[in-house]
Amino acid sequence: DVKVTQSSRYLVKRTGEKVFLECVQDMDHENMFWYRQDPGLGLRLIYFSYDVKMKEKGDIPEGYSVSREKKERFSLILESASTNQTSMYLCASRGDEKLFFGSGTQLSVL
Amino acid sequence: DQQVKQNSPSLSVQEGRISILNCDYTNSMFDYFLWYKKYPAEGPTFLISISSIKDKNEDGRFTVFLNKSAKHLSLHIVPSQPGDSAVYFCAASVGFYGNKLVFGAGTILRVKS
């Protein structure tokens, strides 16, 4: 079974802090993704990566950056957290033309 | 501007009956469609997909119908079971290998026993 692991289930951070969300997949997938899920808006793509050190902006990249130094690991970085970044963050990797998601990180920015 | 719309935030169905979840899209370039199911405290899991060359795809109790002229797809669950209670997301992409999956807002399905 594909396993996508997100390092934290819940995070509480203060406005202005730098925040790192980590994601690891164990299936040697080339493509990895970060989404955020908000009520009434569904899942929106922040960034994705199609190879090590390769990244592409999704639909809502403002305020975020990403890092992919190793194939199995894809990190989402909030350079200076703001309250409007309070959300559920979902990491995914792609295989067999479908996405496999982690359990999500609920981030609260106070 | 939401390109994929699920206009029903929630749906309640009796166990054993049919559940019909609807999804509309606006981008005529979309040609691959998927449904994901999400339980609380878990990530979404893939349920079923359909490409635009088909108008129906079936997998056990789940059937997806695609009406390209209406830009509409629906997911039918027959018979519905209490374990089907979850949030269902419709998603679409351009191309089978499209990296940019666009998701709808989701529909909460409650199956009552």
Side-chain angles (χ1 to χ4, degrees), chain B residues 33 49-58 63-69 72-76:
Chain B
F33 305 90
S49 64
I50 188 168
S51 82
S52 59
I53 63 172
K54 294 186 175 182
D55 53 20
K56 175 183 173 181
N57 189 26
E58 201 169 344
T63 303
V64 57
F65 295 92
L66 175 63
N67 183 334
K68 291 185 288 292
S69 61
H72 176 83
L73 63 156
S74 60
L75 175 68
H76 293 211

Side-chain angles (χ1 to χ4, degrees), chain A residues 11-108:
Chain A
L11 271 181
V12 180
K13 297 292 181 181
R14 296 205 176 276
T15 303
E17 277 193 77
K18 191 168 186 175
V19 182
F20 293 85
L21 302 183
E22 307 287 344
C23 175
V24 177
Q25 51 100 357
D26 66 356
M27 284 302 291
D28 203 37
H29 290 164
E30 291 181 348
N31 298 282
M32 296 187 73
F33 305 80
W34 276 105
Y35 285 85
R36 62 178 281 178
Q37 180 194 355
D38 300 289
L41 296 176
L43 280 70
R44 293 179 293 165
L45 180 63
I46 304 171
Y47 266 97
F48 68 97
S49 168
Y50 48 93
D51 202 350
V52 174
K53 295 191 188 296
M54 307 301 285
K55 62 187 178 186
E56 195 163 322
K57 293 179 181 178
D59 299 316
I60 50 164
E62 297 78 20
Y64 303 95
S65 62
V66 290
S67 172
R68 184 124 181 248
E69 297 296 319
K70 293 184 178 181
K71 193 174 186 179
E72 67 270 19
R73 186 179 297 270
F74 191 34
S75 303
L76 180 69
I77 304 155
L78 286 67
E79 297 290 343
S80 177
S82 62
T83 54
N84 63 14
Q85 292 179 309
T86 291
S87 185
M88 168 67 76
Y89 289 88
L90 291 160
C91 174
S93 69
R94 197 183 79 180
D96 297 330
E97 308 322 315
K98 51 183 179 273
L99 295 180
F100 297 88
F101 284 89
S103 298
T105 297
Q106 178 62 52
L107 173 67
S108 297

Side-chain angles (χ1 to χ4, degrees), chain B residues 18-66:
Chain B
I18 184 171
S19 296
I20 300 176
L21 295 94
N22 293 302
C23 178
D24 297 294
Y25 60 96
T26 57
N27 187 344
S28 56
M29 297 294 291
F30 287 146
D31 56 3
Y32 187 55
F33 305 90
L34 307 91
W35 285 93
Y36 280 80
K37 179 169 73 173
K38 185 182 186 299
Y39 293 118
E42 295 182 15
T45 54
F46 170 78
L47 191 56
I48 193 168
S49 64
I50 188 168
S51 82
S52 59
I53 63 172
K54 294 186 175 182
D55 53 20
K56 175 183 173 181
N57 189 26
E58 201 169 344
D59 183 2
R61 296 185 298 113
F62 302 91
T63 303
V64 57
F65 295 92
L66 175 63

